[in-house]
């Protein structure tokens, strides 16, 4: 006989294991919140923008072919900015206790499509240090790129600054907790169905009707804590043992 599962059965399983789903979800959200607020180190982000051109005069600056060449060279500039040739000087100038490879992992260079403007994005555990690294990287690149390539016009469009109330970009506790809640629900629901699938015991008369397809004729109840019989005597009718020579009723 083919076994089918209806939505009513699915909701019955969820209702039966609701405590397990809620427990796993609460534990996941709590662990995520504790890790986000008390374990993970806040990371701050700072940005600076630079404009790179190969020509200084206006006629060449607005030449379509020249602009297209500058756009194609943006990827090359990105590699140069994160290379040891630039980052070693940044580390030396700021006296950072890290290697060029480690610092490169904190720097990301991006640019919009068909744009000659490159954006240097730096992430660090200190907001002030992130701004210093971004500005120093742009400054060192501006000085060193003419020696490395045929580029004679690098301008810093905007410098990185530190606001009075700088907020970290990660971790994001609310987002982490929301993700943990979703994951906890998924794990709880999956575990509930798994436990229900592995449970092959018959617990109720409804299980007998559904699985064995037999009608339930009667139910044997479980009698617990049956009180023991006690002898009750009346104080005004006390039994008296007759003495020698006496008979009952005398």
């Amino acid at each position: 006989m083919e076994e089918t599962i209806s939505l009513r059965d699915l909701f019955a399983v969820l209702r039966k294991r609701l405590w397990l789903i809620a427990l796993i979800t609460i534990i996941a959200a709590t662990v995520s919140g504790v890790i986000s607020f008390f374990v993970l180190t806040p990371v701050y982000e700072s940005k600076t923008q630079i404009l790179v051109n190969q020509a200084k005069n206006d006629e060449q600056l607005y030449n379509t072919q020249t602009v297209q060449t500058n756009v194609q060279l943006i990827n090359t500039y990105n590699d140069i900015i994160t290379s040891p040739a630039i980052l070693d000087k940044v580390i030396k100038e700021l006296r950072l206790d890290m290697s060029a490879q480690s610092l490169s992992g904190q720097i990301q260079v991006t640019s919009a499509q068909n744009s000659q403007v490159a954006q240097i994005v730096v992430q660090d555990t200190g907001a002030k240090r992130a701004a210093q690294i971004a500005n120093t990287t742009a400054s060192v690149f501006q000085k060193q790129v003419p020696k490395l390539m045929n580029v004679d016009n690098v301008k810093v469009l905007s410098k990185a600054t530190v606001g009075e109330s700088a907020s970290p970009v990660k971790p994001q506790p609310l987002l982490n907790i929301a993700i943990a809640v979703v994951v906890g629900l998924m794990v709880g629901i999956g575990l509930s169905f798994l436990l229900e699938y592995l449970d092959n015991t018959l617990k109720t008369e409804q299980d007998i009707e559904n699985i064995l397809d037999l009608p339930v004729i009667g139910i044997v109840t479980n009698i617990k804590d049956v009180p023991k019989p006690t002898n009750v005597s009346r104080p005004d009718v006390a039994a008296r043992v007759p003495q020698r020579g006496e008979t009952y009723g005398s």
Side-chain angles (χ1 to χ4, degrees), residues 88-209:
D88 283 340
K89 292 180 173 56
V90 174
I91 293 173
K92 183 178 180 181
E93 186 171 338
L94 295 178
R95 297 179 181 179
L96 300 176
D97 186 18
M98 63 177 65
S99 63
Q101 183 178 3
S102 178
L103 181 58
S104 177
Q106 298 180 221
I107 300 177
Q108 183 181 7
V109 184
T110 61
S111 60
Q113 187 176 6
N114 297 328
S115 174
Q116 296 177 244
V117 177
Q119 184 171 246
I120 301 176
V121 182
V122 178
Q123 292 186 349
D124 193 83
T125 55
K128 183 177 180 180
R129 187 167 60 177
Q132 290 176 342
I133 293 174
N135 291 329
T136 305
T137 302
S139 176
V140 171
F141 174 74
Q142 187 178 21
K143 296 176 182 178
Q144 296 297 321
V145 72
K147 303 176 183 179
L148 301 175
M149 295 184 65
N150 186 22
V151 176
D152 53 9
N153 191 13
V154 177
K155 295 181 180 180
V156 178
L157 299 180
S158 63
K159 291 186 177 182
T161 57
V162 181
E164 295 181 358
S165 58
S167 57
V169 294
K170 58 182 181 182
Q172 298 178 343
L174 296 181
L175 178 61
N176 293 343
I177 292 175
I179 295 175
V181 169
V182 174
V183 174
L185 286 174
M186 294 175 61
V187 173
I189 293 174
L191 186 59
S192 298
F193 285 116
L194 178 62
L195 293 177
E196 187 68 20
Y197 176 77
L198 297 177
D199 187 6
N200 56 3
T201 59
L202 301 178
K203 295 182 175 61
T204 63
E205 59 273 14
Q206 189 67 31
D207 294 339
I208 298 176
E209 292 182 352

